[in-house]
Each structure stands twice: as structure tokens, then as C-alpha cells.
């Protein structure tokens, strides 16, 4: 079945998240894995996944909402944009709508989401694609990217020359490759990203001053402290990468997953924690300012209100 996602009326969330950085900034539902983008209308859009209570790991995650803001103070819940029952190729049982991303090319928004095609969810991951002419409504499921491995957490980075790259991974493997102009097929082979340190999942690629940054969650788990966010840099979008360090220390959540974006001249790091629930699988998205050193390395994020 192919259908247009239901889009609820936007809900305005007043949240003093400017300089005060009140976190989490979405408290109405549980959200995780925030992928942030600034689109041509000047608004910042966040594409997270949606944790569902009662928590059972990440299996009940069944739909996606989008949030947008003009100032990081007033947020708009743009409503639901896609749910598992609208994905014709997806597993019959639904759920497992994990960390998504969104890209824009030639007038179309491409929403990428990891979702299993079978009951054996752990071995049947696909990277689904839904498209729309708008950033936060009207998405139609188009199928999945053929020829990929059963891995999660897609990130699509569009370089200054218009070439798009897909990254994904999980379980110590991170791969990247070129996307064709149709944004739904790989151009050539996916390559293993070299030079990362203890990669686990949650790939995100951004570019600043000609340097490519690949950030990700590691496997760290010690004394109640969980995944850290690390990053590596390269002169090329597909590496090899030079590991640079941790930029977000563990939150109170078992996982972390983040994105880095420039908005109105300031860089921001998005991530998630479990401060609203004290439960590892009922997470909430957060944002704090991110600063670079003169040599292009990233200063560690100061997490507020966790
Ligand atoms: O939210 C489900 C999964 O948990 C994501 O795909 C991972 O990155 C981790 O945050």
C-alpha cells in the first residue's frame, strides 16, 4: 500500500530553549535520534524517531513526527509524517521505525528510515525512502534502497557540488557511498569507512570550512555511563577518517545519537537523553551549542538541564 501520511495540525511548543537551552525541548512525547537540517524557508527541522511507552527496547517505535523552529525557542510539532502501516514492504508486525534522516535535492525532500522487512527484524533491515515536495508533510513511501546490507541509521549528506552520499551502519560497521541523482539508488559500491574509533551506530556527516566531519556513537559502557558521541575528520566525504575524540559525554540514556548543524551563524549539537523518564528506551531530544577550536576540532558539548 502506498499512501500519503496523515499530518496532524501543527502544535506549538513554547520552550525557552534559546540561550537558556532548556532540555529536553520536546516533552509531549518521547523522541530520540534527532537529525536536524535547515531548509530554504530558513526554519530548522528536526527528524527524530519516537519512543513508545510501555518501553520494550526499541520494538514499538511505529511512527515519525517532525519538529521545526525559527528561533530554538518556539517549536512546532508538525505532526506525524509516516508510520509503519504505510510502508508496504515492511514487516507485518510493524514497529522498529528507527533513526531517520531527511535530504533535499531538486525540489524534493527525501525521508530515509531504517525498518525491517521481516519478522526476523535483526537480519532484515532496509533503508526505506519516502518523498514529498514539503519538508514536514505529504510524504509518500517509495520503497527502499536496493542492494544494501541489513544495517541501520541512514545519514544522507549532500555536498556543495550537489553529489549526495549515503552512510549507514551498526554493530561496529560504518559504510558510505554515492547516491545516484534519483537519491534512491547507490552509485557504485558502498565502502567501509576507515579510521573510526570504536564505531557503534548513529552516523552523521557535516562539512565546515572544507573539512568533512563524521560523528557517531561508540560502544562505551562503564559504571552506568553509556554510549559517547565521537567524531573523525577527513578531506574527503568518504574518508579515510582521522579520529578526533569524544564531543558528547554519556547522557543518562544507554544510547546516544546526534546531529550537528549550523543555524543563523551558530553551530548546534542535537542528541538525546532519558531525563524525562529515567528509562533507557523512553528518550527525549536535546540541543546545545557547539563550538569549534581554531584548528577545526570540536569542543566538548556542555549538556544543560539533564
Ligand atoms: O532509536 C532506535 C535506535 O537506537 C537507533 O537507530 C540507534 O541509533 C539508537 O539510538
Amino acid at each position: 500500500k502506498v499512501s500519503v501520511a496523515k499530518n496532524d495540525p501543527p502544535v506549538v511548543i513554547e520552550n525557552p530553549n534559546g540561550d537558556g537551552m532548556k532540555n529536553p525541548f520536546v516533552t509531549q512525547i518521547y523522541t530520540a535520534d534527532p537529525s536536524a537540517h535547515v531548509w530554504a524557508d530558513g526554519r530548522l527541522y528536526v527528524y527524530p524517531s519516537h519512543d513508545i511507552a510501555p518501553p520494550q527496547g526499541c520494538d514499538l517505535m511505529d511512527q515519525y513526527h517532525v519538529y521545526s523552529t525559527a528561533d530554538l525557542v518556539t517549536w512546532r510539532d508538525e505532526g506525524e509524517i509516516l508510520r509503519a502501516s504505510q510502508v508496504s514492504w515492511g514487516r507485518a508486525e510493524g514497529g522498529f521505525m528507527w533513526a531517520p534522516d531527511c535530504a533535499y535535492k531538486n525540489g524534493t525532500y527525501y525521508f530515509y528510515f531504517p525498518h525491517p522487512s521481516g519478522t526476523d527484524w535483526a537480519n532484515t533491515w532496509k533503508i526505506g525512502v519516502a518523498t514529498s515536495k514539503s519538508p514536514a508533510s505529504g510524504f509518500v513511501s517509495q520503497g527502499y534502497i536496493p542492494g544494501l546490507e541489513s544495517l541501520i541509521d541512514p545519514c544522507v549528506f549532500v555536498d556543495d557540488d550537489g553529489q549526495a552520499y549515503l552512510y549507514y551502519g551498526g554493530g561496529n560497521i560504518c559504510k558510505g557511498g554515492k547516491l545516484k541523482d534519483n537519491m534512491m539508488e547507490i552509485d557504485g559500491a558502498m565502502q567501509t569507512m576507515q579510521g573510526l574509533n570504536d564505531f557503534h551506530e548513529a552516523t552523521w556527516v557535516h562539512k565546515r570550512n572544507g573539512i568533512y566531519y563524521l560523528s557517531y556513537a561508540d560502544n562505551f559502557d562503564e559504571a552506568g555511563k553509556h554510549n559517547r558521541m565521537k567524531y573523525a575528520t577527513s578531506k574527503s566525504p568518504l574518508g579515510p577518517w582521522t579520529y578526533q575524540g569524544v564531543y558528547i559525554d554519556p547522557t543518562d540514556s544507554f544510547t546516544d545519537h546526534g546531529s550537528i548543524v549550523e543555524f543563523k551563524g551558530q553551530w548546534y549539537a542535537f542528541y538525546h537523553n532519558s531525563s524525562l523518564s529515567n528509562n533507557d528506551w523512553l528518550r527525549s531530544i536535546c540541543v546545545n551549542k557547539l563550538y569549534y577550536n581554531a584548528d577545526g576540532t570540536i569542543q566538548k558539548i556542555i549538556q544543560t538541564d539533564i
Side-chain angles (χ1 to χ4, degrees), residues 32-33 49 58 61 98-99 152-153 201-202 255-257 272 283:
D33 312 319
S49 45
C58 293
M61 303 168 79
W98 283 14
I152 60 172
D153 292 1
E201 59 187 11
T255 64
D256 202 354
H257 188 126
H272 64 230
R283 301 163 294 180

Side-chain angles (χ1 to χ4, degrees), residues 35 99-101 112-114 127 145 148-149 151-159 163-170 173-179 186 190-194 196 199 201-207 211-216 232 234-239 241 257:
S35 290
D101 193 16
Y112 299 90
F113 57 98
I127 303 301
I145 299 176
L148 295 179
E149 295 172 54
L151 297 171
I152 60 172
D153 292 1
C155 162
V156 171
F157 167 73
V158 181
D159 209 344
Q163 176 65 56
Y165 297 86
L166 169 76
Y167 305 84
Y168 74 151
I173 304 167
C174 179
K175 293 202 164 186
K178 286 184 177 178
L179 280 170
I186 301 303
M190 295 293 282
Q191 306 168 30
T192 299
M193 297 295 95
Q194 305 289 348
L196 308 180
F199 175 88
E201 59 187 11
T203 311
W204 179 262
V205 171
H206 75 281
K207 186 180 185 182
I211 300 174
Y212 298 87
Y213 293 77
L214 191 157
S215 45
Y216 58 96
S234 178
K235 291 280 186 200
S236 156
L238 294 176
W241 300 92
H257 188 126

Side-chain angles (χ1 to χ4, degrees), residues 234-281:
S234 178
K235 291 280 186 200
S236 156
L238 294 176
W241 300 92
T242 302
Y243 174 64
Q244 299 289 358
V246 174
Y247 79 98
I248 305 183
D249 281 331
T251 71
D252 59 351
S253 186
F254 182 70
T255 64
D256 202 354
H257 188 126
S259 56
I260 296 173
V261 68
E262 185 178 25
F263 183 49
K264 300 187 175 176
Q266 172 67 52
W267 287 85
Y268 294 93
F270 287 79
Y271 58 98
H272 64 230
N273 67 27
S274 291
S275 63
L276 287 186
S277 68
N278 291 319
N279 185 299
D280 284 329
W281 306 112

